């Protein structure tokens, strides 16, 4: 089959690789009908994710048709149309039983390695580093789905691939970001990053009843899409983000701040982001947490900082003094996608949101390597790429 494979920083290729096979009785094989490139894939593309190997099949936003099921899989049948969550969960362990699917303690075969870095291991992820299981990803013609009687969600024929594909990741992620904010009717929610995840966080904040959303980015078409959703926007390269949020909230700060940027913010936005860049380049630091620092500063006393932008290691100069003295709550996670799926599918079916609003580019797998660059460089008004193998 054809698949997108990783060969080092900035080097993604469309190659022929062996077809996946059922390896465990609970597995399923799906024929991919649609898959997308995520901002998290850009961290891999930019070479900041450790423990990738040459030839790894990448991608974790995938849906398709079941073409083979293992003998113990009683949930799926050949021909079922499913969306596959990016987090792999067993459904039976301590964490899965509590709904913390992305904390599953059974699906990362390399958990000792992850525990060395992080203390404990989270769940395995598709197409995302051997630290998290090294599972072949879904930017491919076919994908093997382990624990396929737990994760995959059957989707109704009435909804198109483009309407349901993002249930695999960015819709639940944006929704979780807003859900973490415990939104009250008068609340102002500030969202850093108007990429695909930020866009879903903005719309989810309104769905959950926010009075106002302030969206921060610098890319014009992304800011426009945020305004289309009803957000007030701030261009961080032209305006002082803290001052604008102070003005908009009568000096109190935002009720909750969502970091939907993570470890790769624009370098030239501020002095601290330049310094972070230098530290990472000289192996003096692992991450570039400018947005997290700013989000803490802009959050009101006893407000919530909700982090869905991904960080990998040890973050320097986080203003914990600000956070503890002012009673901030921190929430963060790799999304336990399975936990959110039923209610988000229901919202799509009811027409409360059509997730396809974020798609700007439709392509083949062969065009994938080029589109990684287009998406990374925000060229050609690119916001979200969907590939149809
Ligand atoms: N927690 C999870 O489960 C999960 C799931 C999916 C994605 N993510 C993460 O979410 C983040 C966003 O993903 P995406 O697909 O939207 O990626 P993206 O790269 O398309 O979007 C990031 C956006 O942040 C903007 N930005 C850069 N610097 C900024 C700054 N200083 N202030 C405000 N905005 C700034 C960029 O212009 C861009 O529009 C990534 O870190 C990704 O890894 C997390
Ligand atoms: Zn993702
Ligand atoms: Zn589990």
């Amino acid at each position: 089959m054809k698949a997108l494979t990783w060969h080092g920083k900035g080097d993604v290729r469309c190659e022929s690789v062996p077809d996946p096979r059922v390896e465990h009785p609970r597995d399923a094989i799906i024929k991919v009908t649609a898959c997308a490139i995520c901002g998290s894939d850009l961290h891999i593309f930019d070479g900041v994710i450790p423990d990738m190997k040459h030839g790894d099949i990448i991608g974790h936003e995938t849906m398709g048709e079941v073409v083979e099921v293992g003998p113990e899989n009683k949930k799926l049948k050949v021909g079922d149309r499913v969306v596959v969550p990016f987090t792999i969960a067993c459904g039976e362990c301590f964490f899965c039983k509590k709904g913390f699917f992305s904390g599953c303690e059974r699906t990362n075969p390399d958990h000792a390695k992850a525990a060395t870095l992080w203390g404990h291991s989270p769940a395995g992820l598709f197409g995302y580093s051997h630290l998290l299981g090294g599972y072949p990803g879904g930017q491919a013609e076919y994908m093997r789905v382990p624990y396929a009687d737990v994760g995959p969600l059957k989707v109704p024929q009435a909804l198109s691939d483009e309407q349901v594909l993002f249930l695999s990741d960015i819709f639940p992620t944006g929704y979780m970001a807003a859900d973490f904010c415990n939104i009250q009717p008068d609340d102002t929610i500030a969202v850093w990053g108007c990429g695909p995840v930020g866009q879903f966080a903005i719309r989810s904040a309104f769905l959950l009843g926010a009075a106002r959303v302030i969206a921060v980015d610098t890319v014009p078409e992304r800011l426009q899409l945020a305004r289309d959703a009803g957000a007030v926007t701030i261009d961080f390269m032209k305006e002082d983000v803290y001052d604008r949020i102070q003005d908009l909230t009568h000096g109190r700060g935002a009720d909750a701040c969502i970091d939907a940027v993570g470890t790769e913010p624009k370098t030239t936005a501020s002095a601290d982001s330049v310094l972070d860049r230098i530290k990472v380049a000289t192996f003096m630091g692992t991450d570039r947490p400018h947005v997290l620092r700013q989000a803490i500063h802009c959050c009101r006393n006893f407000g919530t900082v909700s982090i869905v932008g991904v960080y990998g290691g040890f973050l320097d100069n986080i203003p914990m003094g600000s956070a503890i003295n002012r009673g901030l709550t921190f929430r963060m996670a790799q999304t336990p996608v399975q936990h959110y799926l039923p209610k988000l599918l229901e919202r799509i079916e009811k027409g409360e949101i059509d997730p396809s609003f974020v798609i700007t580019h439709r392509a083949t797998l062969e065009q994938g390597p080029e589109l990684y660059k287009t998406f990374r460089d925000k060229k050609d008004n690119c916001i979200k790429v969907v590939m149809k193998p």
Side-chain angles (χ1 to χ4, degrees):
M1 67 163 183
K2 289 212 186 80
L4 297 192
T5 54
W6 184 88
H7 289 274
K9 188 176 173 181
D11 188 356
V12 165
R13 301 177 197 168
C14 182
E15 293 185 312
S16 288
V17 299
D19 288 351
R21 290 192 326 226
V22 167
E23 292 174 22
H24 183 277
R26 289 170 71 180
D27 286 358
I29 305 292
I30 64 163
K31 182 179 193 309
V32 177
T33 55
C35 57
I37 308 178
C38 177
S40 299
D41 295 325
L42 291 181
H43 307 319
I44 294 177
F45 192 55
D46 294 339
V48 305
I49 300 295
D51 217 3
M52 290 292 296
K53 294 189 180 143
H54 278 268
D56 280 347
I57 301 172
I58 50 182
H60 59 267
E61 298 182 356
T62 299
M63 67 175 295
E65 190 190 313
V66 175
V67 291
E68 203 183 333
V69 283
E72 273 175 32
N73 189 322
K74 305 286 176 244
K75 184 180 153 193
L76 295 179
K77 291 190 305 293
V78 169
D80 283 344
R81 187 166 162 253
V82 294
V83 172
V84 183
F86 77 98
T87 43
I88 304 169
C90 78
E92 293 152 355
C93 73
F94 174 86
F95 295 105
C96 286
K97 278 195 200 134
K98 291 183 186 307
F100 302 138
F101 296 97
S102 48
C104 176
E105 56 191 356
R106 291 198 189 149
T107 55
N108 185 1
D110 300 325
H111 55 89
K113 201 158 38 173
T116 306
L117 181 64
W118 292 329
H120 303 272
S121 172
L125 305 184
F126 285 106
Y128 220 77
S129 148
H130 292 264
L131 204 55
L132 296 168
Y135 289 97
Q139 289 164 0
E141 288 181 300
Y142 294 88
M143 180 169 76
R144 171 187 165 237
V145 185
Y147 301 95
D149 48 356
V150 179
L153 174 78
K154 288 188 217 175
V155 285
Q157 294 299 338
L159 297 172
S160 69
D161 280 14
E162 293 188 355
Q163 285 174 298
V164 292
L165 172 61
F166 303 135
L167 286 168
S168 58
D169 180 351
I170 54 173
F171 182 21
T173 297
Y175 190 88
M176 175 185 74
D179 188 34
F180 279 167
C181 300
N182 186 23
I183 295 173
Q184 305 300 309
D186 289 335
D187 278 0
T188 294
I189 310 299
V191 179
W192 276 255
C194 298
V197 170
Q199 298 293 341
F200 280 101
I202 293 163
R203 278 164 211 246
S204 299
F206 282 126
L207 281 176
L208 291 172
R212 187 167 52 171
V213 176
I214 302 171
V216 187
D217 205 302
T218 190
V219 182
E221 60 277 9
R222 294 180 179 213
L223 289 170
Q224 185 56 52
L225 196 58
R227 281 193 293 275
D228 295 346
V232 178
T233 57
I234 302 177
D235 182 337
F236 66 80
M237 291 302 281
K238 292 188 181 146
E239 302 162 271
D240 186 290
V241 175
Y242 175 83
D243 287 350
R244 269 300 302 285
I245 292 179
Q246 286 295 91
D247 281 351
L248 287 163
T249 59
H250 309 291
R252 185 182 281 165
D255 296 290
C257 293
I258 295 175
D259 173 354
V261 180
T263 198
E264 296 193 90
K266 192 175 174 75
T267 304
T268 50
S270 68
D272 67 309
S273 18
V274 174
L275 192 61
D276 286 340
R277 188 80 200 81
I278 295 168
K279 280 162 68 177
V280 169
T282 54
F283 304 102
M284 300 288 284
T286 61
D287 286 84
R288 305 197 272 124
H290 158 72
V291 165
L292 178 56
R293 292 184 197 113
Q294 194 166 57
I296 291 171
H297 271 281
C298 293
C299 193
R300 72 153 161 81
N301 297 352
F302 289 86
T304 298
V305 176
S306 162
I307 310 166
V308 290
V310 164
Y311 294 96
F314 302 86
L315 281 58
D316 291 346
N317 296 324
I318 299 302
M320 287 307 288
S322 168
I324 182 167
N325 284 291
R326 302 189 302 104
L328 303 192
T329 297
F330 285 70
R331 298 290 311 270
M332 63 199 87
Q334 288 280 16
T335 311
V337 174
Q338 293 84 339
H339 170 72
Y340 287 101
L341 281 183
K343 63 179 153 202
L344 295 187
L345 177 63
E346 201 180 305
R347 284 189 185 268
I348 298 173
E349 284 185 294
K350 283 190 187 151
E352 292 173 17
I353 184 166
D354 179 349
S356 65
F357 75 92
V358 82
I359 304 171
T360 51
H361 288 63
R362 295 166 175 86
T364 60
L365 271 184
E366 288 79 2
Q367 293 168 305
E370 199 49 43
L371 283 162
Y372 261 82
K373 292 187 195 128
T374 309
F375 177 48
R376 177 196 61 195
D377 300 338
K378 301 166 185 72
K379 287 213 181 106
D380 194 26
N381 293 346
C382 183
I383 299 178
K384 188 75 181 178
V385 178
V386 172
M387 295 172 291
K388 300 177 185 187

mmCIF file with all atom_site columns, all heavy atoms in Angstrom, residues 89-93 95-96 104-107, ligand 3:
data_model
loop_
_atom_site.group_PDB
_atom_site.id
_atom_site.type_symbol
_atom_site.label_atom_id
_atom_site.label_alt_id
_atom_site.label_comp_id
_atom_site.label_asym_id
_atom_site.label_entity_id
_atom_site.label_seq_id
_atom_site.pdbx_PDB_ins_code
_atom_site.Cartn_x
_atom_site.Cartn_y
_atom_site.Cartn_z
_atom_site.occupancy
_atom_site.B_iso_or_equiv
_atom_site.pdbx_formal_charge
_atom_site.auth_seq_id
_atom_site.auth_comp_id
_atom_site.auth_asym_id
_atom_site.auth_atom_id
_atom_site.pdbx_PDB_model_num
ATOM   1  N  N   . ALA A 1 89  ? -6.802  2.789  23.318 1.00 0.00 ? 89  ALA A N   1
ATOM   2  C  CA  . ALA A 1 89  ? -7.204  2.444  24.683 1.00 0.00 ? 89  ALA A CA  1
ATOM   3  C  C   . ALA A 1 89  ? -7.748  1.030  24.751 1.00 0.00 ? 89  ALA A C   1
ATOM   4  O  O   . ALA A 1 89  ? -8.427  0.571  23.833 1.00 0.00 ? 89  ALA A O   1
ATOM   5  C  CB  . ALA A 1 89  ? -8.262  3.433  25.172 1.00 0.00 ? 89  ALA A CB  1
ATOM   6  N  N   . CYS A 1 90  ? -7.457  0.349  25.886 1.00 0.00 ? 90  CYS A N   1
ATOM   7  C  CA  . CYS A 1 90  ? -7.869  -1.055 26.035 1.00 0.00 ? 90  CYS A CA  1
ATOM   8  C  C   . CYS A 1 90  ? -9.314  -1.193 26.472 1.00 0.00 ? 90  CYS A C   1
ATOM   9  O  O   . CYS A 1 90  ? -9.941  -2.220 26.269 1.00 0.00 ? 90  CYS A O   1
ATOM   10 C  CB  . CYS A 1 90  ? -6.948  -1.769 27.018 1.00 0.00 ? 90  CYS A CB  1
ATOM   11 S  SG  . CYS A 1 90  ? -7.307  -1.394 28.760 1.00 0.00 ? 90  CYS A SG  1
ATOM   12 N  N   . GLY A 1 91  ? -9.839  -0.143 27.139 1.00 0.00 ? 91  GLY A N   1
ATOM   13 C  CA  . GLY A 1 91  ? -11.229 -0.185 27.576 1.00 0.00 ? 91  GLY A CA  1
ATOM   14 C  C   . GLY A 1 91  ? -11.450 -0.892 28.903 1.00 0.00 ? 91  GLY A C   1
ATOM   15 O  O   . GLY A 1 91  ? -12.568 -0.885 29.425 1.00 0.00 ? 91  GLY A O   1
ATOM   16 N  N   . GLU A 1 92  ? -10.419 -1.484 29.474 1.00 0.00 ? 92  GLU A N   1
ATOM   17 C  CA  . GLU A 1 92  ? -10.626 -2.329 30.660 1.00 0.00 ? 92  GLU A CA  1
ATOM   18 C  C   . GLU A 1 92  ? -9.769  -1.955 31.861 1.00 0.00 ? 92  GLU A C   1
ATOM   19 O  O   . GLU A 1 92  ? -10.032 -2.411 32.970 1.00 0.00 ? 92  GLU A O   1
ATOM   20 C  CB  . GLU A 1 92  ? -10.260 -3.785 30.319 1.00 0.00 ? 92  GLU A CB  1
ATOM   21 C  CG  . GLU A 1 92  ? -11.186 -4.418 29.321 1.00 0.00 ? 92  GLU A CG  1
ATOM   22 C  CD  . GLU A 1 92  ? -10.477 -5.500 28.506 1.00 0.00 ? 92  GLU A CD  1
ATOM   23 O  OE1 . GLU A 1 92  ? -9.252  -5.676 28.673 1.00 0.00 ? 92  GLU A OE1 1
ATOM   24 O  OE2 . GLU A 1 92  ? -11.171 -6.128 27.692 1.00 0.00 ? 92  GLU A OE2 1
ATOM   25 N  N   . CYS A 1 93  ? -8.729  -1.169 31.662 1.00 0.00 ? 93  CYS A N   1
ATOM   26 C  CA  . CYS A 1 93  ? -7.787  -0.915 32.770 1.00 0.00 ? 93  CYS A CA  1
ATOM   27 C  C   . CYS A 1 93  ? -8.346  0.143  33.721 1.00 0.00 ? 93  CYS A C   1
ATOM   28 O  O   . CYS A 1 93  ? -9.399  0.730  33.489 1.00 0.00 ? 93  CYS A O   1
ATOM   29 C  CB  . CYS A 1 93  ? -6.427  -0.482 32.213 1.00 0.00 ? 93  CYS A CB  1
ATOM   30 S  SG  . CYS A 1 93  ? -6.402  1.194  31.552 1.00 0.00 ? 93  CYS A SG  1
ATOM   31 N  N   . PHE A 1 95  ? -7.561  3.208  34.227 1.00 0.00 ? 95  PHE A N   1
ATOM   32 C  CA  . PHE A 1 95  ? -7.820  4.527  33.635 1.00 0.00 ? 95  PHE A CA  1
ATOM   33 C  C   . PHE A 1 95  ? -8.974  4.498  32.642 1.00 0.00 ? 95  PHE A C   1
ATOM   34 O  O   . PHE A 1 95  ? -9.829  5.389  32.635 1.00 0.00 ? 95  PHE A O   1
ATOM   35 C  CB  . PHE A 1 95  ? -6.536  5.070  32.986 1.00 0.00 ? 95  PHE A CB  1
ATOM   36 C  CG  . PHE A 1 95  ? -5.455  5.330  33.988 1.00 0.00 ? 95  PHE A CG  1
ATOM   37 C  CD1 . PHE A 1 95  ? -4.361  4.482  34.100 1.00 0.00 ? 95  PHE A CD1 1
ATOM   38 C  CD2 . PHE A 1 95  ? -5.539  6.406  34.863 1.00 0.00 ? 95  PHE A CD2 1
ATOM   39 C  CE1 . PHE A 1 95  ? -3.387  4.697  35.053 1.00 0.00 ? 95  PHE A CE1 1
ATOM   40 C  CE2 . PHE A 1 95  ? -4.557  6.632  35.823 1.00 0.00 ? 95  PHE A CE2 1
ATOM   41 C  CZ  . PHE A 1 95  ? -3.476  5.772  35.922 1.00 0.00 ? 95  PHE A CZ  1
ATOM   42 N  N   . CYS A 1 96  ? -9.001  3.487  31.782 1.00 0.00 ? 96  CYS A N   1
ATOM   43 C  CA  . CYS A 1 96  ? -10.082 3.396  30.800 1.00 0.00 ? 96  CYS A CA  1
ATOM   44 C  C   . CYS A 1 96  ? -11.435 3.338  31.501 1.00 0.00 ? 96  CYS A C   1
ATOM   45 O  O   . CYS A 1 96  ? -12.395 3.971  31.077 1.00 0.00 ? 96  CYS A O   1
ATOM   46 C  CB  . CYS A 1 96  ? -9.893  2.171  29.905 1.00 0.00 ? 96  CYS A CB  1
ATOM   47 S  SG  . CYS A 1 96  ? -8.566  2.390  28.700 1.00 0.00 ? 96  CYS A SG  1
ATOM   48 N  N   . CYS A 1 104 ? -4.537  5.257  29.330 1.00 0.00 ? 104 CYS A N   1
ATOM   49 C  CA  . CYS A 1 104 ? -4.595  3.783  29.347 1.00 0.00 ? 104 CYS A CA  1
ATOM   50 C  C   . CYS A 1 104 ? -3.225  3.201  29.693 1.00 0.00 ? 104 CYS A C   1
ATOM   51 O  O   . CYS A 1 104 ? -2.217  3.584  29.113 1.00 0.00 ? 104 CYS A O   1
ATOM   52 C  CB  . CYS A 1 104 ? -5.067  3.248  27.995 1.00 0.00 ? 104 CYS A CB  1
ATOM   53 S  SG  . CYS A 1 104 ? -5.050  1.434  27.910 1.00 0.00 ? 104 CYS A SG  1
ATOM   54 N  N   . GLU A 1 105 ? -3.221  2.260  30.643 1.00 0.00 ? 105 GLU A N   1
ATOM   55 C  CA  . GLU A 1 105 ? -1.920  1.743  31.086 1.00 0.00 ? 105 GLU A CA  1
ATOM   56 C  C   . GLU A 1 105 ? -1.495  0.478  30.344 1.00 0.00 ? 105 GLU A C   1
ATOM   57 O  O   . GLU A 1 105 ? -0.498  -0.134 30.697 1.00 0.00 ? 105 GLU A O   1
ATOM   58 C  CB  . GLU A 1 105 ? -1.915  1.521  32.604 1.00 0.00 ? 105 GLU A CB  1
ATOM   59 C  CG  . GLU A 1 105 ? -2.992  0.621  33.130 1.00 0.00 ? 105 GLU A CG  1
ATOM   60 C  CD  . GLU A 1 105 ? -3.087  0.674  34.666 1.00 0.00 ? 105 GLU A CD  1
ATOM   61 O  OE1 . GLU A 1 105 ? -2.264  1.361  35.301 1.00 0.00 ? 105 GLU A OE1 1
ATOM   62 O  OE2 . GLU A 1 105 ? -3.992  0.040  35.211 1.00 0.00 ? 105 GLU A OE2 1
ATOM   63 N  N   . ARG A 1 106 ? -2.260  0.103  29.301 1.00 0.00 ? 106 ARG A N   1
ATOM   64 C  CA  . ARG A 1 106 ? -1.898  -1.137 28.619 1.00 0.00 ? 106 ARG A CA  1
ATOM   65 C  C   . ARG A 1 106 ? -1.451  -0.965 27.178 1.00 0.00 ? 106 ARG A C   1
ATOM   66 O  O   . ARG A 1 106 ? -0.936  -1.917 26.586 1.00 0.00 ? 106 ARG A O   1
ATOM   67 C  CB  . ARG A 1 106 ? -3.108  -2.057 28.585 1.00 0.00 ? 106 ARG A CB  1
ATOM   68 C  CG  . ARG A 1 106 ? -3.480  -2.594 29.926 1.00 0.00 ? 106 ARG A CG  1
ATOM   69 C  CD  . ARG A 1 106 ? -4.364  -3.812 29.712 1.00 0.00 ? 106 ARG A CD  1
ATOM   70 N  NE  . ARG A 1 106 ? -4.919  -4.238 30.979 1.00 0.00 ? 106 ARG A NE  1
ATOM   71 C  CZ  . ARG A 1 106 ? -6.109  -4.811 31.095 1.00 0.00 ? 106 ARG A CZ  1
ATOM   72 N  NH1 . ARG A 1 106 ? -6.843  -5.003 30.016 1.00 0.00 ? 106 ARG A NH1 1
ATOM   73 N  NH2 . ARG A 1 106 ? -6.545  -5.181 32.268 1.00 0.00 ? 106 ARG A NH2 1
ATOM   74 N  N   . THR A 1 107 ? -1.699  0.194  26.577 1.00 0.00 ? 107 THR A N   1
ATOM   75 C  CA  . THR A 1 107 ? -1.520  0.275  25.125 1.00 0.00 ? 107 THR A CA  1
ATOM   76 C  C   . THR A 1 107 ? -0.182  0.837  24.686 1.00 0.00 ? 107 THR A C   1
ATOM   77 O  O   . THR A 1 107 ? 0.071   0.971  23.492 1.00 0.00 ? 107 THR A O   1
ATOM   78 C  CB  . THR A 1 107 ? -2.652  1.106  24.483 1.00 0.00 ? 107 THR A CB  1
ATOM   79 O  OG1 . THR A 1 107 ? -2.692  2.381  25.134 1.00 0.00 ? 107 THR A OG1 1
ATOM   80 C  CG2 . THR A 1 107 ? -3.990  0.405  24.627 1.00 0.00 ? 107 THR A CG2 1
HETATM 81 ZN ZN1 . LIG B 2 .   ? -6.863  0.916  29.241 1.00 0.00 ? 3   LIG B ZN1 1
#
